[in-house]
Amino acid sequence: MTVKSELKSGYALTLIAPRGGLHGWQWIFVIEGAITILVAGFAYTAFPEFPDNNRFLSPEQTKMVLARVEKDRGDSLPDKMTSAKLRLHLCDWKIWIFATSLVSYNNHVFGVDTESAQGYFAPIILTSMGYKLRDSLLLSSPPVILG
């Protein structure tokens, strides 16, 4: 989703009148959480763990896919996890570089630095200054949209 659509859907969900003992902003978590659970349930049942235990390919097609994986990566048959393998992967510097960059990106996106924090906390600050919720959301959206 884009920032604009997030702002629109978030704002629209805050307009829901209190129902079922929940405020509009609380319904955001309920609705988006339910969608996430439904998609995860579908993905868990629809997508196989590995090509060797699929339910939608014929045996010939499965054999062909496993042969291609074996030719490409050499690991078409799953093997057991051992402590030596775990240690090998935990000592791989590329995994740690990737993890560090992912954490750094998420820290920026989810409001640890000051620029992101402005986007997340501006509505709260404006509401505490006396603006209505609708006005505080509308006043804090231009910096987020314009970047």
Side-chain angles (χ1 to χ4, degrees):
M1 291 183 95
T2 64
V3 173
K4 290 179 184 178
S5 62
E6 280 288 331
L7 287 170
K8 288 177 189 174
S9 65
Y11 175 69
L13 289 172
T14 61
L15 297 177
I16 298 174
R19 291 195 175 126
L22 297 175
H23 296 284
W25 65 270
Q26 292 170 319
W27 279 107
I28 294 172
F29 295 101
V30 172
I31 293 169
E32 293 188 1
I35 292 169
T36 302
I37 290 170
L38 288 173
V39 170
F42 169 75
Y44 183 76
T45 57
F47 302 132
E49 182 182 341
F50 203 73
D52 65 336
N53 53 353
N54 69 76
R55 294 185 300 271
F56 52 88
L57 294 176
S58 70
E60 296 83 27
Q61 291 171 327
T62 301
K63 199 174 191 180
M64 181 185 69
V65 168
L66 291 174
R68 286 183 177 179
V69 170
E70 186 64 36
K71 182 180 175 187
D72 182 46
R73 300 185 336 197
D75 64 349
S76 64
L77 297 175
D79 49 352
K80 288 177 53 176
M81 177 57 93
T82 63
S83 59
K85 279 187 185 179
L86 180 64
R87 194 170 28 260
L88 173 73
H89 295 300
L90 287 177
C91 293
D92 187 357
W93 64 271
K94 294 181 292 282
I95 290 176
W96 289 103
I97 295 294
F98 179 74
T100 304
S101 67
L102 182 65
V103 168
S104 299
Y105 171 75
N106 285 339
N107 283 344
H108 170 72
V109 169
F110 294 115
V112 174
D113 69 342
T114 56
E115 292 174 7
S116 302
Q118 174 190 355
Y120 288 106
F121 296 117
I124 297 168
I125 295 167
L126 290 170
T127 303
S128 69
M129 292 172 63
Y131 289 95
K132 294 180 183 176
L133 177 61
R134 177 184 59 94
D135 297 335
S136 67
L137 287 169
L138 293 174
L139 287 170
S140 62
S141 61
V144 175
I145 292 171
L146 300 174

